[in-house]
Amino acid sequence: MRIGRATTWRGAACAVLLLVAGVSLAANWIAPEGYAKQYREAADAPPSHAHWLGTDEIGRDRFARVLYGTRISLLLAPAAALLSTLMAALIGGLSGYLGGAWSRAAMAVTDLFLSLPWLFLLITVRAVLPLNVSPLFSVLVTFLILGLLGWTSAARVLCATSATLRDSDFVRQARASGIGAVRLFWMHVLPNLKPVLYAQFWISIPAFILSEANLGILGLGVAEPMPSWGSLLKELEGLVSVGEEPWKLVPLILLAIVVTSFQFVLARQEEAAA
Amino acid sequence: MCTQHRKSFLISIAACFILAGSAFGQGELRFCLRSEPKTFEPLKVEDEASATIRYLTGGVLVRMNRQTQALEPELAQSWKVSKDGKQIIFKLRSGISFSDGTPFSAEDVAYTVQQLMDPALHSPTGDAFRSGPGNVETKIISPTQISITFPAPVAGLDHQFDQVAIMSAHSPKKEMAVLGPFMVDDYKPGASLLLKRNPNYWKTDEQGRHLPYIDSIRLDIQPNRDVEMLRFKRNELDLINTLDSEYFDKLGAISPQLVHDAGPSLDSEQMWFNEVAKSPLPAYKKAWFRSEAFRRAISEAINREDLSRVVFRGHAQPAVGPVSPANKFWFNAKLKPESYSPDTALKALQAEGFRMENGTLKDKDGNAVVFSIITNSGNKYRERMATMIQDDLQKIGVHVNVVTLDFPSLIERMTQSFDYEAILLGLTNVGLDPNEQMNVWLSSSDNHQWNPSEKAPETAWEAEIDKLMREQASSADPKKRKEAFDRVQEIVFEEAPFIYLVNRNALSAVAANVQGASPVILVPQTYWNVERISLK
């Protein structure tokens, strides 16, 4: 009974994610005017027939911006998650398999990265990047940075799992039978790391979505006029107004729904891994 | 029985007096300081919070009426400035004491001026008086008369004394002995400051009642404007001195009688291009930015009316130049804001060799006109203005990338590395006199932002501005000074080293229980007449 209910929830979560992704991918057809058009005569307008979620402070259609912002966040967060998971597999998995000094050195680097003050690091990275970059490039750079810096926790988990596998009977047997180190890692260790890699990948997606949102609130990350969930959430800075204008909460609600849906899907991946 | 009646009558009379007194005499005015005051020493003030304390506690010789913008006598009954602008003679009021009872005399004025000009103290207030090398001479003519002679002419000499709070030469309490309407009673760092009425304050109103009317002022240190607004709504605060246009509208929608729009303030928002010769920009971009035609065309393609109406919800006016129309005397009324005309802008650029190709403007060498505008992250008004400018310039084929940076990074690029293309920032003007802007307009100055610290003026118009600014600074004739500064404004308009965008309005909120507050555009907007404010 409990298993059946959980499956229903996971199914619903998958359906929600597919729906959100599908609608955001169809943004060009649903909101053909685009996310940057400024209806200056109707700035900060409440929801209406013309603007379903009203307009932002400079008159841009909020519904269009939510659609396009969702597309950006939902497409690039998995890409960044993939990058960070691959790096974690390479650094954590390989060092755990090699063990000894390799493992200690890799974990020292990982600990160093974990101890870095992320916020200040990201502010510094943004400050040294070239200024004259297009909004699209800024999006790519933001998620690239997130991907390049977000591998550390996963690397620790993978290092421990890989070390366990290294000392397992089947690996010892394979080694004794004369299989080379590279082939052994590729054919026997890596496939056994897959469930952990999947789990790390799914965990990273909502984490990166939230990180981008945090960066957006700080004025870093995706550049104007391109929307992202982060830039849309910036509208909530004036807490006084939220109760009076509940439609401004839509990006927040959508973010919560998507992250929760990912968690439900993730639970299934973890069960599969177990 | 008769005695009882008489007693009741006397009690009633006394009660009436107490009640009548309470209309003015009691109560605590509450508002917020947005940061911790850095000092209580009036001569060392350079931050806004300390300036507030100085205004409320300091006694000055002359005070500029924030409403009429005219200079009025305070501790000085009268004054006279010499024709050469070097000397000022004050005739002081007699019978005045500091808050601790120490008598006030010309000795205190002499002491304050010597402290003010002491290089070791390096008083920011004293900077305005340092017009040339040499020492200031103070001569006490009598206990109520003093002559002060500066080594070189000081422009607007009498006006500069508006900022000089007189300190006691003899009081053991040093800077805590004050001549203003209030004195510091309690200070809880990081939390609040309590000012109590100065029992020895010399002023009375027309009915002979002692000023100030209110007993005390509680200043809560609160940097968060959202919290300040919430507290005002909950009647925990009586004033908000400067209000955002967004909050102004929201509060105004509920209680229109509480909000006040005093019109354009002295503050301006502007953008400028990097014209520094040694900047690490490509040569073709330097050529664009150093071209007056390019700058004017960009200026013409920006819709200032929309910036005022959309970003500031109508609580701003298109800006003309370095002087706001709020500055009644110094504003050059002949100048009008640049009219929005993308077509004219495009034609002007085409006349300079630029051409439009597939929606992108290209220069004569085929380089696409693309540049970035930096502004400080966290300032939503500037971010919105930059995004609207991005949209406006798109119409003439100019592609703008909006970049928000943390303030230290922005300042580093602006003043050290010069690694930027355009910057959008605001300028807060406190004083009315053009001398307050000397550090911006002199080409040798560090704050000559578009091209700081020039060894010699790099353009003819910068040389002319240098000459005019020096001329007005060394003249004591207001008419001549006005003529010179009017011409400076015309040159700035023609050459557009700064592209002035808007002048924000002075917005404030005053609680219903506050009587006598009459918000103005000059700092301090809501409590400039604090001694005459009372509470219901």
Side-chain angles (χ1 to χ4, degrees):
Chain A
M1 188 70 181
R2 282 181 63 193
I3 291 168
R5 197 178 294 162
T7 310
T8 312
W9 278 110
R10 277 177 219 131
C14 283
V16 166
L17 286 177
L18 283 173
L19 180 71
V20 171
V23 171
S24 69
L25 286 172
N28 293 44
W29 291 280
I30 299 170
E33 293 288 351
Y35 55 81
K37 187 172 169 60
Q38 296 175 2
Y39 300 90
R40 294 185 182 179
E41 299 306 319
D44 202 18
S48 64
H49 185 68
H51 307 289
W52 294 354
L53 291 177
T55 56
D56 70 5
E57 289 81 0
I58 54 174
R60 295 175 297 192
D61 185 273
R62 192 175 283 109
F63 179 67
R65 290 182 68 73
V66 169
L67 289 186
Y68 284 92
T70 304
R71 180 199 283 188
I72 288 164
S73 296
L74 271 190
L75 281 180
L76 290 175
L82 183 66
L83 177 66
S84 72
T85 309
L86 287 176
M87 286 185 69
L90 194 72
I91 297 167
L94 203 59
S95 64
Y97 169 69
L98 293 172
W102 286 104
S103 175
R104 284 196 295 277
M107 286 308 101
V109 172
T110 308
D111 288 346
L112 180 70
F113 265 77
L114 278 170
S115 65
L116 286 174
W118 268 58
L119 177 62
F120 296 105
L121 186 71
L122 286 168
I123 289 174
T124 311
V125 169
R126 181 64 194 90
V128 297
L129 280 175
L131 295 178
N132 220 342
V133 294
S134 68
L136 183 64
F137 187 76
S138 78
V139 172
L140 295 174
V141 167
T142 302
F143 281 96
L144 187 69
I145 290 172
L146 289 175
L148 288 174
L149 297 176
W151 53 270
T152 46
S153 303
R156 271 209 153 277
V157 176
L158 283 160
C159 182
T161 315
S162 186
T164 314
L165 286 172
R166 184 190 61 206
D167 297 330
S168 64
D169 292 343
F170 75 95
V171 171
R172 283 182 184 182
Q173 196 172 357
R175 199 180 288 133
S177 63
I179 295 180
V182 176
R183 188 177 154 79
L184 184 62
F185 180 73
W186 188 254
M187 297 292 289
H188 296 282
V189 177
L190 207 54
N192 282 291
L193 288 176
K194 260 187 196 169
V196 185
L197 287 172
Y198 281 140
Q200 291 302 324
F201 172 74
W202 287 108
I203 288 171
S204 302
I205 293 173
F208 287 149
I209 288 173
L210 291 173
S211 298
E212 190 280 322
N214 289 334
L215 285 181
I217 289 169
L218 290 168
L220 305 164
V222 179
E224 289 282 4
M226 198 164 262
S228 71
W229 281 349
S231 60
L232 294 167
L233 289 172
K234 271 169 85 175
E235 280 195 293
L236 302 181
E237 279 176 344
L239 282 173
V240 180
S241 68
V242 170
E244 295 156 16
E245 296 162 320
W247 55 89
K248 287 188 178 174
L249 292 171
V250 168
L252 182 68
I253 294 166
L254 191 60
L255 176 68
I257 290 172
V258 168
V259 172
T260 311
S261 300
F262 269 119
Q263 297 301 334
F264 275 113
V265 175
L266 176 66
R268 180 169 169 72
Q269 295 300 325
E270 280 174 345
E271 278 172 23
Chain B
M1 190 70 180
C2 197
T3 316
Q4 267 184 344
H5 272 295
R6 205 160 41 227
K7 267 185 186 167
S8 306
F9 177 73
L10 286 173
I11 289 166
S12 306
I13 294 284
C16 283
F17 269 110
I18 289 164
L19 286 172
S22 70
F24 292 102
Q26 269 83 51
E28 186 170 86
L29 187 71
R30 302 154 302 169
F31 59 98
C32 284
L33 291 177
R34 300 240 163 99
S35 61
E36 194 87 26
K38 290 199 173 104
T39 180
F40 290 144
E41 285 188 52
L43 301 182
K44 286 189 178 173
V45 168
E46 47 186 347
D47 60 298
E48 195 185 319
S50 304
T52 299
I53 312 301
R54 181 179 66 186
Y55 190 88
L56 296 169
T57 60
V60 290
L61 296 169
V62 291
R63 176 73 87 197
M64 188 180 62
N65 183 311
R66 266 43 177 183
Q67 200 160 43
T68 62
Q69 298 185 9
L71 212 54
E72 292 176 350
E74 285 276 310
L75 295 169
Q77 267 180 325
S78 61
W79 64 95
K80 193 179 174 190
V81 181
S82 66
K83 276 189 181 168
D84 62 4
K86 287 184 185 175
Q87 191 191 50
I88 187 164
I89 298 173
F90 287 109
K91 187 171 186 317
L92 309 176
R93 291 178 201 276
S94 55
I96 293 175
S97 299
F98 283 86
S99 53
D100 66 340
T102 312
F104 162 70
S105 74
E107 259 188 83
D108 300 309
V109 178
Y111 169 76
T112 304
V113 171
Q114 291 301 341
Q115 290 286 306
L116 182 76
M117 302 308 289
D118 182 357
L121 189 75
H122 196 75
S123 162
T125 315
D127 287 345
F129 295 91
R130 290 189 189 96
S131 54
N135 293 327
V136 65
E137 282 176 28
T138 53
K139 188 178 166 193
I140 298 170
I141 301 163
S142 75
T144 58
Q145 205 167 13
I146 183 167
S147 148
I148 306 164
T149 309
F150 293 87
V154 178
L157 178 57
D158 45 359
H159 284 79
Q160 305 292 354
F161 280 91
D162 174 81
Q163 304 285 320
V164 183
I166 301 301
M167 294 166 67
S168 171
H170 302 294
S171 169
K173 288 196 163 183
K174 302 213 178 258
E175 72 271 6
M176 302 312 276
V178 293
L179 288 163
F182 295 92
M183 56 187 192
V184 176
D185 185 59
D186 186 30
Y187 174 41
K188 292 189 176 73
S192 67
L193 190 71
L194 183 67
L195 306 181
K196 279 270 166 74
R197 177 213 297 259
N198 173 1
N200 297 326
Y201 191 55
W202 58 278
K203 269 193 198 174
T204 55
D205 67 7
E206 294 70 22
Q207 283 77 44
R209 284 180 299 224
H210 277 285
L211 296 175
Y213 294 137
I214 47 180
D215 281 338
S216 58
I217 299 177
R218 178 170 297 280
L219 301 164
D220 289 333
I221 298 159
Q222 178 54 261
N224 188 317
R225 294 191 174 202
D226 296 329
V227 175
E228 185 182 21
M229 175 75 168
L230 278 171
R231 293 191 61 199
F232 182 82
K233 278 177 147 181
R234 292 202 298 245
N235 295 323
E236 290 171 15
L237 296 175
D238 300 312
L239 302 174
I240 299 181
N241 210 35
T242 50
L243 203 57
D244 280 354
S245 48
E246 224 169 289
Y247 289 151
F248 181 92
D249 280 2
K250 288 187 196 309
L251 188 59
I254 309 162
S255 321
Q257 73 282 4
L258 303 186
V259 290
H260 300 265
D261 182 346
S265 67
L266 300 180
D267 301 345
S268 61
E269 298 290 330
Q270 65 246 43
M271 65 172 269
W272 69 91
F273 290 106
N274 182 354
E275 295 184 46
V276 179
K278 62 179 179 188
S279 69
L281 300 181
Y284 66 90
K285 285 199 174 179
K286 283 183 194 171
W288 302 343
F289 301 156
R290 290 171 80 95
S291 153
E292 169 262 328
F294 179 85
R295 295 192 301 266
R296 281 295 296 272
I298 296 294
S299 178
E300 272 188 301
I302 294 172
N303 191 336
R304 290 170 175 76
E305 289 285 351
D306 276 1
L307 294 182
S308 307
R309 187 174 52 79
V310 177
V311 177
F312 295 95
R313 297 163 180 252
H315 301 296
Q317 312 296 323
V320 183
V323 181
S324 159
N327 191 341
K328 292 173 188 168
F329 181 74
W330 294 105
F331 176 65
N332 184 345
K334 285 184 204 155
L335 299 174
K336 302 287 171 230
E338 188 86 75
S339 54
Y340 170 59
S341 177
D343 295 338
T344 318
L346 190 56
K347 276 179 195 156
L349 287 167
Q350 281 166 341
E352 289 292 304
F354 289 86
R355 62 184 191 278
M356 188 74 106
E357 272 183 29
N358 303 323
T360 299
L361 191 73
K362 293 191 172 175
D363 66 10
K364 54 191 169 195
D365 298 323
N367 299 302
V369 181
V370 180
F371 62 82
S372 59
I373 298 179
I374 315 177
T375 192
N376 55 316
S377 57
N379 188 314
K380 55 190 175 187
Y381 295 104
R382 288 190 191 135
E383 287 175 21
R384 287 172 199 162
M385 277 198 288
T387 309
M388 287 181 73
I389 291 169
Q390 181 185 49
D391 194 59
D392 284 342
L393 297 186
Q394 187 74 45
K395 288 171 190 144
I396 58 165
V398 174
H399 299 289
V400 171
N401 294 311
V402 176
V403 181
T404 56
L405 286 183
D406 60 300
F407 212 68
S409 302
L410 192 154
I411 296 296
E412 192 276 329
R413 282 177 187 267
M414 187 174 105
T415 59
Q416 304 293 320
S417 67
F418 306 114
D419 187 7
Y420 73 91
E421 291 173 340
I423 287 181
L424 194 161
L425 275 183
L427 192 70
T428 303
N429 274 322
V430 177
L432 297 172
D433 198 276
N435 276 1
E436 306 255 346
Q437 300 187 19
M438 277 299 258
N439 62 348
V440 173
W441 299 114
L442 289 183
S443 60
S444 56
S445 166
D446 292 349
N447 289 325
H448 189 68
Q449 276 110 350
W450 66 90
N451 193 4
S453 311
E454 293 174 34
K455 287 195 175 83
E458 290 180 14
T459 59
W461 58 269
E462 281 174 302
E464 194 182 351
I465 289 181
D466 280 3
K467 183 174 137 282
L468 290 163
M469 286 305 288
R470 289 202 176 98
E471 249 175 46
Q472 69 79 26
S474 59
S475 170
D477 180 355
K479 198 178 159 203
K480 278 188 185 161
R481 292 187 67 207
K482 167 87 172 128
E483 278 170 12
F485 197 56
D486 275 356
R487 179 66 195 134
V488 170
Q489 292 174 66
E490 283 164 18
I491 296 170
V492 172
F493 185 83
E494 287 156 11
E495 299 292 336
F498 282 136
I499 296 175
Y500 286 92
L501 303 169
V502 296
N503 292 117
R504 279 177 282 138
N505 287 8
L507 308 176
S508 55
V510 179
N513 63 320
V514 178
Q515 287 184 314
S518 155
V520 293
I521 55 138
L522 297 180
V523 176
Q525 293 86 343
T526 50
Y527 56 89
W528 63 275
N529 58 341
V530 66
E531 57 202 15
R532 288 175 186 273
I533 287 178
S534 59
L535 299 169
K536 273 196 267 188

